[in-house]
Amino acid sequence: MTQPIDRAEQFKAEIADMKLKTGRARVESWLQIVGVVLMVVGIAIAFGAYSASLNVTATPGTNVDLLDSNSYTPLAIAGLAISVTGGFIFLRYSLARFLRFWLLRQVYEQRVAIDDAAGRNSTGELRRGEPQRGVDAVGTS
Amino acid sequence: MLNGDGPGGGERPDRALELRNVDAAYGTITVLRGVDLIVPFGQVVALLGPNGGGKSTVLRVVSGLLPVTGGDVYVAGRRVNGAAPDELARHGVCLIPEGKGIFPNLSVRENLWMATHTGRPLNDIEEIAYARFPRLGERRKQLAGTLSGGEQQMLAMARALATDPALLLLDELSMGLAPLVVEQLYEIVAQVATEGVSILVVEQFARAVLGIVDWVGIMLRGRITNFGTPAAMEAELSTAYLGE
């Protein structure tokens, strides 16, 4: 069995060494905003590159216009990559919160369903007139 | 402590938990207003009072589930405002929530399995749990949702104690249980306290806990209005509940 004083001392030491991660929810909200911003910025860059490539003027006798036009391709791809990354960040942090609530709801609903099946209300009390299957008589068989 | 009346009034023993002027709110609704509370190491403190007083909110704040909007929370002497619930739980702050918090669709054994995240092997956890609650040993393969309310509460306690908590937070242990079962559960709580675990109990039904606690706080409308020994607080309780 744990010695009382040892446990208290160990507890104090562990709490003292604990790395506090404060403001995690705030960070998640910020990352969602960053994700949306990156999506918009990425698409804007891609469209900007596309528009700029349309304005390349042709130089007779050379292929400079084609090279200029091609040079916008990596920029547009980079814009799309930024947009996809932003979308991933947004989904990651918005889904995490949603799934947490979803999991809690699943647990809660399953408990209610099982309580219903066992004839109890949500606090564990037997419903009036139900069989004594869930009675709280510890020590009796 | 209130008026120097409680455990922190004279000597200042080591504190497993201390709340200083804590405010907390659900959205725009303020629930706790300037709560001061001390739980010394190895002692049992009860927060009593009628429904809606903010008792369970205190536990949510201490366990990190609800951030404070004002004041400070100290665990083992360290300010832990904003600490994540999982961090606190990993270091020994253990909440048994109202409604038990067990997994109804898992067996008793599988529920105990959930406590292996601490690194302790399942066999050890089962051995400890069944020694303390032999009834659970008889039902180890039964779905937790089909246990009686008392057995479910025992399972929640067994799982919590398997994590070797240093600060145990109990929310409405007696909810929906027969008086005989409540008495047996609180006997176990008293036994756990003698092993050095500091315990903060929140209860609506005062009589259930007065026999086993060292200190009692009465909570009304988000404030601790009285604090003292169980004997001193017994008279105050009827006023708190009946408003006379």
PDB file of all heavy atoms in Angstrom, chain B residues 71-90:
ATOM      1  N   GLY B  71      -9.140  34.757 -10.092  1.00  0.00           N
ATOM      2  CA  GLY B  71      -8.585  34.020  -8.960  1.00  0.00           C
ATOM      3  C   GLY B  71      -7.578  32.970  -9.393  1.00  0.00           C
ATOM      4  O   GLY B  71      -7.203  32.896 -10.561  1.00  0.00           O
ATOM      5  N   ASP B  72      -7.149  32.175  -8.417  1.00  0.00           N
ATOM      6  CA  ASP B  72      -6.088  31.194  -8.675  1.00  0.00           C
ATOM      7  C   ASP B  72      -6.418  29.830  -8.074  1.00  0.00           C
ATOM      8  O   ASP B  72      -7.019  29.748  -7.004  1.00  0.00           O
ATOM      9  CB  ASP B  72      -4.770  31.679  -8.048  1.00  0.00           C
ATOM     10  CG  ASP B  72      -4.293  32.963  -8.706  1.00  0.00           C
ATOM     11  OD1 ASP B  72      -4.122  32.966  -9.929  1.00  0.00           O
ATOM     12  OD2 ASP B  72      -4.135  33.975  -7.986  1.00  0.00           O
ATOM     13  N   VAL B  73      -5.982  28.799  -8.799  1.00  0.00           N
ATOM     14  CA  VAL B  73      -6.114  27.429  -8.302  1.00  0.00           C
ATOM     15  C   VAL B  73      -4.702  26.888  -8.070  1.00  0.00           C
ATOM     16  O   VAL B  73      -3.867  26.944  -8.978  1.00  0.00           O
ATOM     17  CB  VAL B  73      -6.844  26.530  -9.328  1.00  0.00           C
ATOM     18  CG1 VAL B  73      -6.952  25.104  -8.801  1.00  0.00           C
ATOM     19  CG2 VAL B  73      -8.220  27.092  -9.654  1.00  0.00           C
ATOM     20  N   TYR B  74      -4.456  26.407  -6.865  1.00  0.00           N
ATOM     21  CA  TYR B  74      -3.156  25.822  -6.531  1.00  0.00           C
ATOM     22  C   TYR B  74      -3.333  24.344  -6.216  1.00  0.00           C
ATOM     23  O   TYR B  74      -4.189  23.980  -5.414  1.00  0.00           O
ATOM     24  CB  TYR B  74      -2.540  26.507  -5.296  1.00  0.00           C
ATOM     25  CG  TYR B  74      -2.135  27.935  -5.551  1.00  0.00           C
ATOM     26  CD1 TYR B  74      -3.070  28.971  -5.448  1.00  0.00           C
ATOM     27  CD2 TYR B  74      -0.826  28.257  -5.885  1.00  0.00           C
ATOM     28  CE1 TYR B  74      -2.711  30.288  -5.689  1.00  0.00           C
ATOM     29  CE2 TYR B  74      -0.454  29.572  -6.124  1.00  0.00           C
ATOM     30  CZ  TYR B  74      -1.403  30.585  -6.028  1.00  0.00           C
ATOM     31  OH  TYR B  74      -1.029  31.867  -6.263  1.00  0.00           O
ATOM     32  N   VAL B  75      -2.541  23.515  -6.862  1.00  0.00           N
ATOM     33  CA  VAL B  75      -2.521  22.089  -6.534  1.00  0.00           C
ATOM     34  C   VAL B  75      -1.126  21.760  -6.025  1.00  0.00           C
ATOM     35  O   VAL B  75      -0.133  22.069  -6.697  1.00  0.00           O
ATOM     36  CB  VAL B  75      -2.871  21.230  -7.768  1.00  0.00           C
ATOM     37  CG1 VAL B  75      -2.669  19.755  -7.474  1.00  0.00           C
ATOM     38  CG2 VAL B  75      -4.311  21.477  -8.202  1.00  0.00           C
ATOM     39  N   ALA B  76      -1.075  21.187  -4.848  1.00  0.00           N
ATOM     40  CA  ALA B  76       0.211  20.874  -4.186  1.00  0.00           C
ATOM     41  C   ALA B  76       1.136  22.088  -4.186  1.00  0.00           C
ATOM     42  O   ALA B  76       2.337  21.972  -4.434  1.00  0.00           O
ATOM     43  CB  ALA B  76       0.877  19.677  -4.855  1.00  0.00           C
ATOM     44  N   GLY B  77       0.557  23.254  -3.979  1.00  0.00           N
ATOM     45  CA  GLY B  77       1.349  24.478  -3.856  1.00  0.00           C
ATOM     46  C   GLY B  77       1.708  25.144  -5.167  1.00  0.00           C
ATOM     47  O   GLY B  77       2.321  26.205  -5.178  1.00  0.00           O
ATOM     48  N   ARG B  78       1.307  24.533  -6.303  1.00  0.00           N
ATOM     49  CA  ARG B  78       1.647  25.131  -7.590  1.00  0.00           C
ATOM     50  C   ARG B  78       0.401  25.697  -8.254  1.00  0.00           C
ATOM     51  O   ARG B  78      -0.639  25.038  -8.295  1.00  0.00           O
ATOM     52  CB  ARG B  78       2.267  24.075  -8.501  1.00  0.00           C
ATOM     53  CG  ARG B  78       2.541  24.620  -9.874  1.00  0.00           C
ATOM     54  CD  ARG B  78       3.667  23.929 -10.558  1.00  0.00           C
ATOM     55  NE  ARG B  78       3.936  24.597 -11.816  1.00  0.00           N
ATOM     56  CZ  ARG B  78       4.322  23.975 -12.915  1.00  0.00           C
ATOM     57  NH1 ARG B  78       4.500  22.674 -12.894  1.00  0.00           N
ATOM     58  NH2 ARG B  78       4.536  24.643 -14.019  1.00  0.00           N
ATOM     59  N   ARG B  79       0.531  26.903  -8.785  1.00  0.00           N
ATOM     60  CA  ARG B  79      -0.594  27.528  -9.484  1.00  0.00           C
ATOM     61  C   ARG B  79      -0.811  26.791 -10.796  1.00  0.00           C
ATOM     62  O   ARG B  79       0.123  26.662 -11.601  1.00  0.00           O
ATOM     63  CB  ARG B  79      -0.273  29.001  -9.744  1.00  0.00           C
ATOM     64  CG  ARG B  79      -1.388  29.794 -10.362  1.00  0.00           C
ATOM     65  CD  ARG B  79      -0.974  31.267 -10.409  1.00  0.00           C
ATOM     66  NE  ARG B  79      -1.963  32.080 -11.110  1.00  0.00           N
ATOM     67  CZ  ARG B  79      -1.953  32.283 -12.415  1.00  0.00           C
ATOM     68  NH1 ARG B  79      -1.041  31.715 -13.173  1.00  0.00           N
ATOM     69  NH2 ARG B  79      -2.875  33.035 -12.985  1.00  0.00           N
ATOM     70  N   VAL B  80      -2.034  26.298 -10.990  1.00  0.00           N
ATOM     71  CA  VAL B  80      -2.283  25.458 -12.171  1.00  0.00           C
ATOM     72  C   VAL B  80      -3.413  26.030 -13.045  1.00  0.00           C
ATOM     73  O   VAL B  80      -4.029  25.278 -13.793  1.00  0.00           O
ATOM     74  CB  VAL B  80      -2.630  24.004 -11.759  1.00  0.00           C
ATOM     75  CG1 VAL B  80      -1.447  23.325 -11.118  1.00  0.00           C
ATOM     76  CG2 VAL B  80      -3.844  23.969 -10.853  1.00  0.00           C
ATOM     77  N   ASN B  81      -3.638  27.330 -12.945  1.00  0.00           N
ATOM     78  CA  ASN B  81      -4.674  27.931 -13.805  1.00  0.00           C
ATOM     79  C   ASN B  81      -4.410  27.575 -15.265  1.00  0.00           C
ATOM     80  O   ASN B  81      -3.297  27.762 -15.753  1.00  0.00           O
ATOM     81  CB  ASN B  81      -4.640  29.453 -13.694  1.00  0.00           C
ATOM     82  CG  ASN B  81      -5.158  29.944 -12.377  1.00  0.00           C
ATOM     83  OD1 ASN B  81      -5.087  29.217 -11.387  1.00  0.00           O
ATOM     84  ND2 ASN B  81      -5.661  31.159 -12.335  1.00  0.00           N
ATOM     85  N   GLY B  82      -5.441  27.063 -15.944  1.00  0.00           N
ATOM     86  CA  GLY B  82      -5.302  26.781 -17.369  1.00  0.00           C
ATOM     87  C   GLY B  82      -4.625  25.461 -17.683  1.00  0.00           C
ATOM     88  O   GLY B  82      -4.421  25.135 -18.849  1.00  0.00           O
ATOM     89  N   ALA B  83      -4.276  24.677 -16.661  1.00  0.00           N
ATOM     90  CA  ALA B  83      -3.645  23.376 -16.938  1.00  0.00           C
ATOM     91  C   ALA B  83      -4.656  22.449 -17.592  1.00  0.00           C
ATOM     92  O   ALA B  83      -5.847  22.487 -17.288  1.00  0.00           O
ATOM     93  CB  ALA B  83      -3.119  22.753 -15.656  1.00  0.00           C
ATOM     94  N   ALA B  84      -4.165  21.605 -18.505  1.00  0.00           N
ATOM     95  CA  ALA B  84      -5.064  20.691 -19.214  1.00  0.00           C
ATOM     96  C   ALA B  84      -5.535  19.590 -18.268  1.00  0.00           C
ATOM     97  O   ALA B  84      -4.766  19.136 -17.419  1.00  0.00           O
ATOM     98  CB  ALA B  84      -4.333  20.084 -20.393  1.00  0.00           C
ATOM     99  N   PRO B  85      -6.788  19.153 -18.412  1.00  0.00           N
ATOM    100  CA  PRO B  85      -7.320  18.113 -17.515  1.00  0.00           C
ATOM    101  C   PRO B  85      -6.492  16.831 -17.556  1.00  0.00           C
ATOM    102  O   PRO B  85      -6.285  16.192 -16.529  1.00  0.00           O
ATOM    103  CB  PRO B  85      -8.733  17.854 -18.048  1.00  0.00           C
ATOM    104  CG  PRO B  85      -9.044  18.952 -18.973  1.00  0.00           C
ATOM    105  CD  PRO B  85      -7.770  19.611 -19.385  1.00  0.00           C
ATOM    106  N   ASP B  86      -6.014  16.463 -18.743  1.00  0.00           N
ATOM    107  CA  ASP B  86      -5.258  15.209 -18.835  1.00  0.00           C
ATOM    108  C   ASP B  86      -3.923  15.307 -18.112  1.00  0.00           C
ATOM    109  O   ASP B  86      -3.454  14.333 -17.515  1.00  0.00           O
ATOM    110  CB  ASP B  86      -5.060  14.794 -20.300  1.00  0.00           C
ATOM    111  CG  ASP B  86      -4.380  15.870 -21.128  1.00  0.00           C
ATOM    112  OD1 ASP B  86      -4.711  17.043 -20.945  1.00  0.00           O
ATOM    113  OD2 ASP B  86      -3.514  15.529 -21.951  1.00  0.00           O
ATOM    114  N   GLU B  87      -3.319  16.505 -18.125  1.00  0.00           N
ATOM    115  CA  GLU B  87      -2.057  16.701 -17.405  1.00  0.00           C
ATOM    116  C   GLU B  87      -2.282  16.534 -15.904  1.00  0.00           C
ATOM    117  O   GLU B  87      -1.529  15.847 -15.221  1.00  0.00           O
ATOM    118  CB  GLU B  87      -1.517  18.115 -17.667  1.00  0.00           C
ATOM    119  CG  GLU B  87      -0.733  18.249 -18.938  1.00  0.00           C
ATOM    120  CD  GLU B  87       0.574  17.475 -18.893  1.00  0.00           C
ATOM    121  OE1 GLU B  87       1.351  17.678 -17.944  1.00  0.00           O
ATOM    122  OE2 GLU B  87       0.792  16.650 -19.783  1.00  0.00           O
ATOM    123  N   LEU B  88      -3.350  17.181 -15.409  1.00  0.00           N
ATOM    124  CA  LEU B  88      -3.650  17.094 -13.979  1.00  0.00           C
ATOM    125  C   LEU B  88      -3.967  15.655 -13.589  1.00  0.00           C
ATOM    126  O   LEU B  88      -3.518  15.162 -12.559  1.00  0.00           O
ATOM    127  CB  LEU B  88      -4.823  18.019 -13.632  1.00  0.00           C
ATOM    128  CG  LEU B  88      -4.517  19.516 -13.680  1.00  0.00           C
ATOM    129  CD1 LEU B  88      -5.793  20.330 -13.613  1.00  0.00           C
ATOM    130  CD2 LEU B  88      -3.598  19.901 -12.521  1.00  0.00           C
ATOM    131  N   ALA B  89      -4.756  14.978 -14.437  1.00  0.00           N
ATOM    132  CA  ALA B  89      -5.141  13.595 -14.133  1.00  0.00           C
ATOM    133  C   ALA B  89      -3.903  12.700 -14.099  1.00  0.00           C
ATOM    134  O   ALA B  89      -3.767  11.841 -13.224  1.00  0.00           O
ATOM    135  CB  ALA B  89      -6.126  13.095 -15.178  1.00  0.00           C
ATOM    136  N   ARG B  90      -2.986  12.927 -15.032  1.00  0.00           N
ATOM    137  CA  ARG B  90      -1.780  12.100 -15.102  1.00  0.00           C
ATOM    138  C   ARG B  90      -0.933  12.250 -13.841  1.00  0.00           C
ATOM    139  O   ARG B  90      -0.236  11.333 -13.437  1.00  0.00           O
ATOM    140  CB  ARG B  90      -0.971  12.520 -16.331  1.00  0.00           C
ATOM    141  CG  ARG B  90       0.000  11.462 -16.813  1.00  0.00           C
ATOM    142  CD  ARG B  90       0.592  11.803 -18.154  1.00  0.00           C
ATOM    143  NE  ARG B  90      -0.406  11.830 -19.199  1.00  0.00           N
ATOM    144  CZ  ARG B  90      -0.631  12.876 -20.008  1.00  0.00           C
ATOM    145  NH1 ARG B  90       0.073  13.972 -19.871  1.00  0.00           N
ATOM    146  NH2 ARG B  90      -1.561  12.829 -20.923  1.00  0.00           N
TER     147      ARG B  90
END
